[in-house]
Amino acid sequence: MSSAPSPSPTPSRARRLPLAGVLRVGRPSDIWFKPALSVVAAVAPPNLTLLALGRLDLAMYTMAGSLCALYAHNRPYAARARALAWVVLGMLGGLAVALVTASLTTDAVVLVTVGALLAAVQKVVCDATRIGPPGHVVLAFISSASLFAPQTLGQVPGHLALGAAAGAWAWIVGMAPGLVRPHGPERRATAHALNAAAAYVETRGSGDGAARSRAAAAAAVHGAWQSLLSTGARSAPRRALERLVVRAEVALAAPADAEPERLRGWARELRGTGPVPRPDDLADAADELLGVEAALAFGEQPLLRRLGPLAPIALRTALGCALAGYVSLAFGVGRPYWALVTAASLYQANVTLTWSRGVQRVVGNLVGVLVFAALAPLAHLGQTALVLCCLALNFGAEALIGRNYWLGSICVTPMALLITEFARFQQPGELITDRVVDTLVGALVGFVAAIAVTNRRAGSRIEQALSTVDRARDHALTILADERPGPGALESARRGLAAAVVDLRATADAAAGEWWQRALPEERVMRAEQAGHRTLAATVRRQGLHCLEGAQA
């Protein structure tokens, strides 16, 4: 039942760093307009209020809270409420450290060092908690910029209060759509699972893209279950959505008997606020599958355990950000935190993705400074024009960044430059020069740090993931062999195996892009995935879903 022994070690080799496709523009997210509108709704009232009071110089502190509205748009509202609250607290925590530090010292080297350490902590916490886009970048931007804002200890409580008030408003903005479409995130996750299953069914389980399509569909189904299980009580709409996710699982177990158009039809019906489709052939069997809350026993790893494998990423972030800031200081740039934030924005799951992000960041920022040069005369007409330009760029950044990071950076760069002018208008040429230098320094030094800090644990994590899949599969097979398993035992085993298989693919993909890594056990990973999917299909059939296949045929 277990995978084959590990092959003998092979010499390390460097992965190739791609250029093809790095700047390719993709399709926009299904909900691209939600974060775009939310950030405008969260930023506009505080900024316009400060504008009316003639205190636009305080906007940096309210922006800290307002930008929290960018997070957690894919989470059900019960989970979103908790996630947004933690994001606001995390933002305020970083802001507090930055403001207190800025009030105690003006030594630029100390400030850069603190900013780099903060960025590393923010990176690993965001990755470990899987908060999702925009991740640690916004947190690092606010805390790093705040380190270089003139400050006294007596001002810190008031500035934190401004951030907290704006954060509370951002929380309200993030939760407001739930009044109109309370199950919107779960419906989208379920629709994604159905569409991904349909794409796999169309391969009929064979061909070059079948394995990748199967893995993508399994991840989508797993994501849909995570979304549904985070909603709390099993309401009637949630039960109806569960039945559709079960249908996606049936399609993965028996693609030859599934109808992709039917799956896509259900996904289309989940748009809007109409009733959730209820396939007749799922009414009884799905309840048998879901009759107990065994799935609630399936959970993620504890947070502390997820932090362990992120140590190399933390070291890369701290080292890269610190060195980028120091080099910027050596060049005499007045805003070293731009270089620090550029480096912080690069770090992804592996070196290959970090390289791609670096190329995207540089291209987007260079085009962005040209946009700033064009906008500066308009923004300098007055503070009202300045605020309106920033709001438009906020919307544009979130509308475009889902298509490719460099597109979003075209709006983020001029927005960041304009924010520095909230206190007073500055010379555009000086701002542009500093931004270009800091972008190049941050990208180059940050990427060198990523190469220097090798992640040798990536290969070991694959071995651990393979062992986890083996144990989960052995457990599922043991339950399958039992004629009368305990209540919910098979369901719990299936959930655990599904999570292990999805994690194995994610771990293998991350390790495949690491630098100077020994040859990966790709064949073992493929065999483990295939065996896991076969066992998952067997558990689906054992739970009575073969009757659904017969009803559909």
Side-chain angles (χ1 to χ4, degrees), residues 432-499:
I432 289 173
T433 301
D434 285 356
R435 184 68 179 201
V436 170
V437 172
D438 279 340
T439 293
L440 297 177
V441 167
L444 179 60
V445 175
F447 183 69
V448 169
I451 294 176
V453 181
T454 58
N455 186 4
R456 294 289 182 176
R457 295 186 181 183
S460 300
R461 288 195 66 202
I462 291 184
E463 295 295 334
Q464 295 170 2
L466 284 167
S467 298
T468 301
V469 169
D470 287 341
R471 290 193 300 270
R473 182 167 173 264
D474 290 346
H475 177 60
L477 290 173
T478 300
I479 300 297
L480 279 170
D482 190 347
E483 293 184 1
R484 292 187 176 182
L490 188 57
E491 175 68 358
S492 180
R494 183 165 69 97
R495 291 277 171 267
L497 177 56

Side-chain angles (χ1 to χ4, degrees), residues 36 39-44 47-48 51 56 59-60 63 67 70 141 371-372 375-376 378-380 382-398 408 410-423 425:
V39 72
V40 171
V43 169
N47 279 5
L48 292 175
L51 176 63
L56 201 55
M60 184 180 71
M63 290 286 286
L67 292 178
L70 293 171
F141 167 67
V371 174
F372 170 74
L375 283 178
L378 174 61
H380 288 179
Q383 288 192 321
T384 301
L386 179 63
V387 169
L388 293 178
C389 284
C390 284
L391 290 175
L393 290 168
N394 264 303
F395 182 88
E398 295 309 312
I410 292 175
C411 292
V412 171
T413 299
M415 179 180 67
L417 293 171
L418 290 176
I419 288 174
T420 66
E421 300 194 292
F422 278 175
F425 291 137

Side-chain angles (χ1 to χ4, degrees), residues 100-329:
V100 170
T101 303
S103 68
L104 295 177
T105 181
T106 58
D107 188 317
V109 173
V110 174
L111 297 177
V112 166
T113 303
V114 172
L117 294 175
L118 275 174
V121 171
Q122 289 158 343
K123 170 64 177 173
V124 296
V125 171
C126 286
D127 283 3
T129 56
R130 297 166 185 163
I131 191 63
H136 70 294
V137 178
V138 170
L139 302 174
F141 167 67
I142 292 295
S143 59
S144 300
S146 301
L147 281 165
F148 291 85
Q151 199 78 207
T152 66
L153 276 176
Q155 292 174 317
V156 171
H159 292 163
L160 286 176
L162 287 173
W169 172 245
W171 187 92
I172 293 172
V173 169
M175 296 299 296
L179 299 175
V180 179
R181 199 165 182 251
H183 302 288
E186 305 97 292
R187 291 169 73 112
R188 287 192 299 272
T190 302
H192 179 53
L194 291 167
N195 284 324
Y200 171 67
V201 167
E202 288 177 335
T203 69
R204 296 301 173 187
S206 60
D208 295 337
R212 181 63 62 177
S213 180
R214 177 67 172 80
V221 168
H222 179 59
W225 278 119
Q226 286 184 310
S227 178
L228 289 169
L229 294 177
S230 66
T231 60
R234 291 183 67 200
S235 60
R238 177 184 144 179
R239 288 177 180 272
L241 291 169
E242 286 173 344
R243 294 188 178 100
L244 292 175
V245 180
V246 169
R247 170 50 67 195
E249 290 186 310
V250 172
L252 297 185
D257 297 328
E259 300 174 11
E261 284 308 312
R262 192 180 187 194
L263 295 170
R264 288 198 172 95
W266 288 328
R268 285 192 296 270
E269 290 184 59
L270 290 175
R271 297 174 183 171
T273 57
V276 177
R278 302 174 67 89
D280 294 337
D281 60 348
L282 283 173
D284 297 325
D287 281 338
E288 179 182 345
L289 176 68
L290 301 163
V292 296
E293 291 289 347
L296 292 176
F298 162 70
E300 296 185 341
Q301 289 182 328
L303 177 60
L304 291 178
R305 187 176 299 177
R306 296 202 301 270
L307 286 173
L310 295 172
I313 303 296
L315 183 57
R316 280 178 182 172
T317 305
L319 180 63
C321 291
L323 291 178
Y326 299 152
V327 172
S328 178
L329 286 174

